[in-house]
Amino acid sequence: MLCLVLPLLIYHLSAEPIKQMGCVDKPINDILLALADASGASIVCDETVSGNASFVFSSMDFLPALQSFLSAYRLYYRFENGVYYVSRVKIVFSAS
């Protein structure tokens, strides 16, 4: 695993915080896969997700950690059927 995860005490959408997790200049896909692995969440990246990133999370729940990471790198997600789909493209549907 390319990222340091200490300890692996993250549960998908639970109140359990991420104790410590950090990566320096690693592929965004790998970071998201490590976050998914540590949290038990399902994350799928599309072909628009690329590049490297660095981050450190301490004492954060999964969803705020995911949202802050994606926001910092101008990425978006949609949650559908228990899966977080990540993309650089945000699709918005109009009700009209």
Side-chain angles (χ1 to χ4, degrees), residues 1 3-10 18 20-23 34-35 38:
M1 183 179 294
C3 295
L4 174 66
V5 180
L6 296 174
L8 296 178
L9 294 176
I10 306 170
I18 297 171
Q20 179 75 29
M21 184 174 183
C23 294
L35 185 58

Side-chain angles (χ1 to χ4, degrees), residues 12-77:
H12 178 60
L13 297 179
S14 74
E16 293 293 321
I18 297 171
K19 300 295 184 190
Q20 179 75 29
M21 184 174 183
C23 294
V24 176
D25 196 31
K26 300 296 180 195
I28 291 173
N29 285 332
D30 290 348
I31 293 170
L32 291 171
L33 289 174
L35 185 58
D37 184 50
S39 68
S42 296
I43 299 176
V44 176
C45 301
D46 71 13
E47 67 278 358
T48 66
V49 178
S50 63
N52 287 4
S54 300
F55 78 96
V56 174
F57 293 129
S58 293
S59 300
M60 286 187 86
D61 291 335
F62 166 75
L63 192 53
L66 176 67
Q67 290 170 331
S68 65
F69 177 78
L70 296 179
S71 176
Y73 291 96
R74 295 186 180 147
L75 295 164
Y76 303 96
Y77 79 93

